[in-house]
Amino acid sequence: MFNIRYDEVFPNLGPYRKQLKCYPVVMMQGKQREEVNKGGKIILPTSALDHLTRLHIEFPMLFKLTNEKLKRETHCGVLEFIAEEGRCYLPYWMMKNLMIKEGEIISVEYTQLPVAEFAKFQPQSVDFLEISNPKAVLENTLRDFACLSKGDVISINYNDKDYEVCILETRPRNAVSIIECDMDVDFAPPVGYQEPVKPSTSGVKKTTFNPLTKPPEKTISQGYRLDGKEKKKPDTHSVKEESQKSVPFYDYRIGLLRFHHNFDETEEMEVEATKPDSKGYRLKDIGTKA
């Protein structure tokens, strides 16, 4: 009924790509938004939302940020569309990665990214080892992120202290979406970390013990008296008895008594078995004369 062309109503409506002035979040009017500095999302003007709603885009909304002067780029999500026209507000760590200053022009382009499968991180300081459960802390931090880009250095706040972590690798591409995904995480050794040096064993004589051979006999040192007198010589007989204690006597014979194992054969004492010559009596004969 009405012959109206779409391009006449919405002229030059194509993929979203704008040149905006970049500012840190702390310069935004209104209340302070500390959560923006801790995450990976930016604030765009209202016109960006109007443009994107007229397009058949896929959610979540992800954007590619490019510093065309230095050919540096990163990726991010969007938190709100409340910025002034011609401006966008970024987290401070993201501005450092792009090497861009306040008020400089940045290119903002809508993009689509694959879902993340793997990411590898490298802490930029050995202080990161103080965190008892780094994977849990990283997982809690990435809740404020929409995507990851290889080469970015993100900031993790834990116990009122900031730790910088570099993204060494992402799969399946160098930029991935981490919204509603199962991602494997790995850590590289922190920058400046050195493996503990093991004590050198060179020059130390190793003693090997073979269980199949008889161990070497222990040397018994001779003691000295504190008063300077000569030490009493031990009784050889008692020492010999002590050394043979608990040794089975295999030459034992019934009727032979031996009080110790060290004796001469002439000292053997034969014990003859003596049987009493007893005669039995009948109970009815007890008390009567034989």
Side-chain angles (χ1 to χ4, degrees):
M1 185 169 105
F2 298 99
N3 188 13
I4 300 176
R5 295 180 59 183
Y6 187 80
D7 56 353
E8 292 179 353
V9 179
F10 305 108
N12 300 325
L13 188 63
Y16 182 80
R17 181 185 175 90
K18 297 292 181 179
Q19 302 288 328
L20 303 174
K21 290 184 178 181
C22 178
Y23 293 92
V25 180
V26 293
M27 297 186 64
M28 186 176 179
Q29 297 179 358
K31 64 178 182 179
Q32 297 293 330
R33 293 174 172 81
E34 293 294 335
E35 68 278 3
V36 181
N37 270 327
K38 297 179 181 179
K41 299 178 182 179
I42 65 174
I43 297 178
L44 293 174
T46 307
S47 60
L49 179 61
D50 294 338
H51 189 133
L52 292 168
T53 52
R54 294 190 180 106
L55 301 175
H56 297 285
I57 62 173
E58 295 182 3
F59 288 86
M61 293 183 183
L62 303 178
F63 298 89
K64 177 182 177 181
L65 307 181
T66 307
N67 182 354
E68 296 181 351
K69 291 183 178 180
L70 301 178
K71 304 300 180 182
R72 296 182 67 88
E73 63 181 35
T74 186
H75 297 78
C76 64
V78 59
L79 184 63
E80 292 180 285
F81 295 91
I82 58 175
E84 299 90 343
E85 288 299 323
R87 291 189 174 189
C88 64
Y89 294 92
L90 276 65
Y92 180 68
W93 67 264
M94 195 176 293
M95 295 183 64
K96 287 177 60 178
N97 288 335
L98 293 172
M99 301 180 66
I100 194 169
K101 298 180 180 179
E102 302 173 3
E104 293 186 349
I105 300 298
I106 190 174
S107 174
V108 182
E109 180 183 1
Y110 170 79
T111 186
Q112 297 178 3
L113 297 176
V115 178
E117 298 177 357
F118 172 81
K120 188 173 183 178
F121 301 86
Q122 182 183 34
Q124 299 300 290
S125 173
V126 293
D127 295 339
F128 190 80
L129 299 176
E130 299 174 359
I131 302 177
S132 58
N133 193 346
K135 285 191 176 182
V137 174
L138 179 65
E139 180 182 357
N140 186 55
T141 301
L142 292 182
R143 292 176 182 176
D144 297 325
F145 285 72
C147 51
L148 298 175
S149 300
K150 180 180 177 180
D152 280 358
V153 178
I154 64 176
S155 179
I156 296 178
N157 184 272
Y158 179 72
N159 284 345
D160 297 329
K161 186 175 181 180
D162 292 328
Y163 302 89
E164 291 187 340
V165 178
C166 179
I167 305 173
L168 294 182
E169 182 183 357
T170 57
R171 299 175 191 168
R173 285 171 51 186
N174 291 338
V176 291
S177 171
I178 60 172
I179 298 177
E180 297 181 359
C181 72
D182 294 328
M183 179 179 65
D184 295 328
V185 175
D186 191 14
F187 286 95
V191 175
Y193 174 77
Q194 295 181 355
E195 291 287 344
V197 180
K198 297 182 179 180
S200 177
T201 57
S202 59
V204 179
K205 185 178 180 180
K206 295 182 179 180
T207 57
T208 58
F209 173 70
N210 187 357
L212 300 179
T213 60
K214 184 179 179 180
E217 297 182 357
K218 296 182 179 180
T219 57
I220 302 176
S221 60
Q222 299 293 332
Y224 296 92
R225 293 174 58 117
L226 295 177
D227 55 4
K229 297 181 180 181
E230 293 185 0
K231 184 180 177 182
K232 294 182 179 180
K233 296 182 179 180
D235 188 0
T236 57
H237 184 69
S238 60
V239 173
K240 202 168 185 180
E241 286 185 349
E242 185 68 21
S243 63
Q244 293 187 358
K245 187 180 293 185
S246 302
V247 177
F249 181 39
Y250 298 104
D251 296 333
Y252 174 74
R253 296 195 302 271
I254 298 177
L256 175 63
L257 296 180
R258 293 185 177 180
F259 295 95
H260 56 81
H261 297 171
N262 300 316
F263 58 88
D264 298 331
E265 294 296 332
T266 56
E267 297 180 0
E268 293 185 0
M269 180 179 62
E270 297 287 347
V271 179
E272 296 182 356
T274 57
K275 297 182 180 180
D277 188 10
S278 60
K279 185 178 181 182
Y281 297 92
R282 297 174 63 182
L283 293 177
K284 65 180 182 177
D285 296 336
I286 296 176
T288 60
K289 294 182 179 179

